[in-house]
Amino acid sequence: MLSSILIFLAFGVLTGLTTVLFGFGGGFVIVPVVYALALASGSGQDAMLVAVATSTAVMIVNSLSASLAHWRSGRLRTDLLFPLAAYIGVGALGGALLATRVPDAVLHLLFIAYLAITIVDSLLRRGFISRSPGTVERRLGPVATSAGGLGIGAVASFLGVGGSIMTVPLLRRLGLPMATSAAMANPLSVPVSVVGAAVYALALPMGTGSLATGRLGYIDLLAMAGLLAGSLPTIAVAKRLVGRMPDRIHAIAFIALLVVVLASMLLIRPA
């Protein structure tokens, strides 16, 4: 028990750092950690879903905290938030409901597949790693906003990764600096986390995944508490780092972290 708490605290610190720098809300750090510990504890049947659900719940607090810090620093662009955030929230409902009906091994495989696709796409498609001087910002059209928002919400809640995995590359290719793209990913992760966590918390009948077992639905409350204890103080400190990292290095670091997470998920074998 103590060792698990210490692990959650340590990775909570990393979660807070990635939330501020990359807009992850913690998803890509939390899912592998909770998944591995759930498997080790014998919860193999629904270990991946517990990891996704717990990650989604943690993101509510982390994304709101980081969004407030970015708003105070003036990095949030409200003109780009709406109506994209509303469509993301609607898509998140469908994605979370679908995740509760997918076998755990399939969810694990899809998580790996999406990570790999995102890494390759970010490396090969122009506009992510390098932002040319004098780049003119573009806007999403109505169709791209609605379809893109629904897709982002569905995938993000289905995998428990917030919206950053899709919104950061999207905003980057619209011509935004990496620091702004990462900052915008936090408020865009809020509708994903709120809707997704509600679905995962209510997905099990009362008594099946009760508070007596340390869960609220599929959400692991002990893991959530430990991760937040480490992430929230880190977010308060790490917000000072935003904007100090060179744009190209910031983009490369985003991809590098995804590669590390992909490698860790490939090493973890489903039950």
Side-chain angles (χ1 to χ4, degrees):
M1 176 72 74
L2 178 59
S3 60
S4 295
I5 293 175
L6 292 176
I7 290 173
F8 288 135
L9 282 171
F11 278 93
V13 172
L14 182 57
T15 295
L17 184 62
T18 59
T19 294
V20 173
L21 293 181
F22 306 111
F24 284 168
F28 284 113
V29 176
I30 294 172
V31 171
V33 174
V34 177
Y35 181 48
L37 290 179
L39 286 175
S41 68
S43 303
Q45 185 176 3
D46 57 5
M48 188 64 188
L49 186 53
V50 169
V52 169
T54 304
S55 168
T56 305
V58 170
M59 279 191 292
I60 296 177
V61 182
N62 280 352
S63 295
L64 284 172
S65 178
S67 296
L68 180 60
H70 287 308
W71 177 72
R72 287 174 174 170
S73 67
R75 289 189 177 87
L76 295 187
R77 294 276 301 276
T78 55
D79 58 313
L80 295 175
L81 285 177
F82 305 102
L84 186 59
Y87 286 112
I88 288 176
V90 175
L93 178 60
L97 289 171
L98 180 61
T100 62
R101 291 163 173 77
V102 173
D104 215 55
V106 174
L107 194 58
H108 175 254
L109 182 61
L110 291 175
F111 189 94
I112 290 174
Y114 193 80
L115 267 174
I117 291 170
T118 302
I119 291 168
V120 172
D121 181 68
S122 297
L123 287 171
L124 298 182
R125 190 180 298 190
R126 295 177 58 187
F128 186 83
I129 293 181
S130 297
R131 181 173 179 262
S132 301
T135 299
V136 178
E137 292 183 13
R138 295 178 289 111
R139 295 297 181 91
L140 289 175
V143 175
T145 298
S146 56
L150 291 171
I152 289 170
V155 172
S157 64
F158 182 80
L159 298 178
V161 295
S164 59
I165 187 63
M166 300 177 77
T167 56
V168 170
L170 173 66
L171 296 173
R172 183 73 169 156
R173 293 186 185 109
L174 289 177
L176 272 67
M178 188 63 193
T180 304
S181 299
M184 293 287 290
N186 282 294
L188 290 174
S189 292
V190 172
V192 173
S193 57
V194 170
V195 173
V199 171
Y200 295 130
L202 301 174
L204 289 176
M206 292 303 294
T208 305
S210 64
L211 295 176
T213 64
R215 290 191 195 173
L216 178 60
Y218 286 106
I219 300 170
D220 187 323
L221 297 175
L222 176 63
M224 180 180 175
L227 288 162
L228 288 175
S231 65
L232 290 177
T234 306
I235 290 174
V237 175
K239 63 184 181 182
R240 301 171 186 174
L241 301 176
V242 179
R244 297 186 180 184
M245 189 182 299
D247 190 74
R248 181 181 174 84
I249 299 300
H250 199 165
I252 293 174
F254 180 93
I255 298 173
L257 182 58
L258 296 187
V259 171
V260 171
V261 176
L262 175 61
S264 68
M265 289 299 285
L266 287 170
L267 292 173
I268 302 173
R269 294 185 178 182

